[in-house]
Amino acid sequence: MVQVTFDAADPRELAGFWRAALGYEDPPPPPGSASWEEFEATLPVEDHGRAWALEDPTGQGPRLFFQRVPEPKSAKNRVHLDVRAAPRLRGEERMAALEAECDRLVALGATRLKRFEPDEMEQGFIAMTDPEGNEFCLD
């Protein structure tokens, strides 16, 4: 089992972007709490909004964990997610599907960086960043 952890200024907000982008879901709240808000109310105020998690409803993808950190992002990611938006498509059909997904993610708060055209080494992809500047690729 793998968990991917994101450092974030606002974990809940960043989780909201990735929830919509990937179709992930919030895990159930801890036993004894009817909601995450109810659970959070039991924590010290300084811990409110400290972390958030998402899970793939199919159970196939990694769990995503978002943790609040004080410092802003300052360098390129050494690891990034590839969002598989067109895994079986090729050529113009693939690039059209990637463009459509890019438009959807930009509307959610992502930023488009660069389109990489298909060539003999790559099938083509679009480099992007999430709302907090973490790089990912539409593949």
Side-chain angles (χ1 to χ4, degrees):
M1 186 84 128
V2 172
Q3 173 173 284
V4 178
T5 300
F6 290 75
D7 289 348
D10 187 335
R12 184 177 286 185
E13 185 175 316
L14 190 57
F17 168 80
W18 286 105
R19 181 186 306 107
L22 301 177
Y24 271 40
E25 297 176 347
D26 298 334
S33 297
S35 68
W36 281 104
E37 290 75 16
E38 181 181 299
F39 172 74
E40 188 173 68
T42 68
L43 301 175
V45 173
E46 62 271 13
D47 287 338
H48 289 197
R50 183 177 57 105
W52 201 260
L54 297 173
E55 295 175 348
D56 180 355
T58 70
Q60 295 179 348
R63 182 176 193 261
L64 302 181
F65 185 75
F66 304 85
Q67 63 187 6
R68 185 174 58 214
V69 296
E71 67 278 351
K73 183 175 179 302
S74 62
K76 184 179 182 303
N77 298 4
R78 294 291 302 240
V79 173
H80 68 268
L81 300 183
D82 283 347
V83 177
R84 305 295 311 272
R88 292 174 191 80
L89 302 178
R90 302 285 184 263
E92 286 307 312
E93 184 181 19
R94 174 184 174 76
M95 297 312 292
L98 295 179
E99 288 291 350
E101 183 65 0
C102 179
D103 290 345
R104 185 181 79 84
L105 296 177
V106 166
L108 293 172
T111 300
R112 178 192 182 113
L113 297 177
K114 185 176 179 181
R115 175 175 159 151
F116 292 83
E117 298 298 328
D119 63 23
E120 62 276 352
M121 295 296 292
E122 294 284 345
Q123 296 176 16
F125 63 96
I126 299 174
M128 303 186 74
T129 62
D130 71 16
E132 289 204 13
N134 300 300
E135 296 89 1
F136 70 95
C137 291
L138 286 181
D139 177 25

